[in-house]
Amino acid sequence: MSSSLKDVAARAGVSARTVSNVVNGSARVSTQTRRRVQEAIDELGYRPNLAARSLRAGRTGIIGLAIPELRSPYFAELAGLLVDEARHRSWTVIIDQTRGDAEAERRLLTGDGGRVMDGLVISPWALAAQDLTAIARPLPVVLLGERSPQGMADRVAVDNVAAADEATTHLLSRGRRRIAAIGLQPHLENGTAEQRAGGYRRALRRAGVAPRTDWERAVTALHRSDGARAMAELLDGDAVPDAVFAFSDELALGALHTAHARGLRVPEDMAIVGFDDIEDGRFSRPALTTVSPDKRQIAARALQCLADRIYSPHNEVPAHDLTIPHRLVVRGSTVPAADTPAAR
């Protein structure tokens, strides 16, 4: 015999209205109560009647997630966290891949989702800021990344300038002065690489080190092969750097591969820092020092913004522009193993 909403309410010690709010993703429930209700739902195997709920509320319980690349470990990890967070709201997530194509992004942002989706979380790469301000949203949208919608939609992002500054300052603190950067992407409009380059240059100038344009390597994508190629170009130059700040962990892992192939010791001859804190970086040799964005909080805050928008009548909630914390995780690619925090 299937459990009812009233059964869940009795098990959790709350009202049926509270259970309904949790199932519908309402923001009017405390985290502790939401967790207690979700545990009761899981224990009893309660499944809401989505069809009936949709007819009553005019909603489907389905949201969209549009990311540039499914193959990207960073976006794959973030997508998994978003799906987990959505499950707590009894939402289903449809995932799409834009490949950073402007038309694909524009179609998702200006379409109605075929009247299937209640809202959309999207990480736009190709659209410029003026494109985002012109969004005529027929459904709630949360943007992930650097392009500001200027009040047209909610945005959740990391302070890339500060994070890149911190990563570069760490290399400077280790006595490195010939610090290169891998990851500029002048062909994209999303601003991520531009901001990370800005933080990198700011840290160098503050330390009295002049940035060198020949040590700033552009890439077409953020893949390992691009990082390996860029590192080879740096090592083949007239002056060789003693450290690299890569704008993604995949780029850093590619750079690390080339450094090993050329007989360099990491971190003794070449220190390397990445960005994203993907799982692969924790198991490389040496393990990768990286900027770690709080991906779980990115997912949670993005869906909270979406819930506020979905359940607010007449779109009365003002647009949020949220900055999520990050931290620098120091590992063996910049500090000898005996000196890393994990080794102490």
Side-chain angles (χ1 to χ4, degrees):
M1 181 176 175
S2 60
S3 299
S4 68
L5 185 143
K6 290 182 178 179
D7 294 330
V8 174
R11 175 66 65 91
V14 298
S15 68
R17 169 64 68 181
T18 298
V19 176
S20 178
N21 286 339
V22 171
V23 168
N24 289 308
S26 171
R28 301 169 184 170
V29 183
S30 70
T31 301
Q32 184 177 3
T33 300
R34 187 184 303 278
R35 185 179 297 113
R36 193 163 73 248
V37 171
Q38 187 60 51
E39 288 173 354
I41 289 172
D42 293 341
E43 290 171 4
L44 295 174
Y46 171 69
R47 293 294 177 266
N49 186 326
L50 296 179
R53 186 176 70 180
S54 299
L55 289 172
R56 288 194 304 269
R59 294 187 289 266
T60 65
I62 297 172
I63 64 168
L65 170 62
I67 54 179
E69 289 188 329
L70 291 171
R71 63 166 283 183
S72 162
Y74 171 78
F75 283 113
E77 291 179 17
L78 184 59
L81 291 168
L82 273 158
V83 169
D84 289 343
E85 290 292 330
R87 176 177 172 273
H88 293 316
R89 298 178 181 273
S90 297
W91 288 350
T92 299
V93 182
I94 298 175
I95 301 177
D96 200 355
Q97 174 177 255
T98 66
R99 296 191 182 278
D101 177 73
E103 187 54 39
E105 293 176 356
R106 186 176 291 107
R107 185 170 60 253
L108 284 164
L109 285 167
T110 58
D112 63 0
R115 301 189 182 277
V116 170
M117 300 185 299
D118 292 334
L120 173 69
V121 178
I122 180 171
S123 177
W125 270 9
L127 293 181
Q130 59 267 29
D131 296 315
L132 297 178
T133 58
I135 294 171
R137 293 181 293 117
L139 79 165
V141 172
V142 176
L143 302 176
L144 303 179
E146 289 60 50
R147 285 301 186 192
S148 173
Q150 298 182 10
M152 298 300 294
D154 298 306
R155 182 181 74 128
V156 179
V158 174
D159 188 339
N160 282 294
V161 176
D165 185 321
E166 188 174 349
T168 307
T169 298
H170 168 67
L171 291 170
L172 290 162
S173 74
R174 300 301 302 174
R176 311 292 172 153
R177 288 297 181 271
R178 306 191 309 277
I179 304 174
I182 295 176
L184 280 75
Q185 293 186 291
H187 60 289
L188 291 182
E189 295 283 357
N190 67 357
T192 302
E194 181 182 348
Q195 292 183 13
R196 292 178 188 178
Y200 155 79
R201 295 172 190 142
R202 185 175 76 181
L204 290 180
R205 292 192 180 103
R206 189 173 59 245
V209 178
R212 293 180 49 155
T213 56
D214 59 324
W215 281 353
E216 296 183 2
R217 311 306 304 183
V219 296
T220 56
L222 303 179
H223 302 154
R224 290 168 176 81
S225 58
D226 297 275
R229 189 179 307 113
M231 177 64 95
E233 293 170 357
L234 289 169
L235 298 179
D236 290 337
D238 295 332
V240 176
D242 60 8
V244 165
F245 168 44
F247 293 2
S248 80
D249 281 357
E250 283 199 85
L251 291 174
L253 291 171
L256 180 63
H257 175 81
T258 295
H260 284 321
R262 295 291 187 93
L264 295 177
R265 299 169 302 157
V266 178
E268 291 81 3
D269 302 321
M270 176 73 69
I272 300 175
V273 177
F275 202 116
D276 290 337
D277 194 18
I278 65 174
E279 186 178 23
D280 287 356
R282 299 166 212 163
F283 294 94
S284 63
R285 181 173 295 184
L288 188 63
T289 293
T290 184
V291 174
S292 179
D294 191 336
K295 292 188 281 287
R296 184 169 296 279
Q297 189 171 158
I298 291 173
R301 298 300 293 277
L303 290 197
Q304 185 59 62
C305 287
L306 206 58
D308 289 347
R309 190 73 54 198
I310 290 170
Y311 297 109
S312 174
H314 311 301
N315 205 25
E316 294 173 352
V317 178
H320 301 293
D321 195 348
L322 305 177
T323 300
I324 302 303
H326 67 271
R327 63 190 178 98
L328 183 69
V329 180
V330 177
R331 301 191 182 110
S333 67
T334 60
V335 176
D339 296 336
T340 57
R344 293 191 191 120

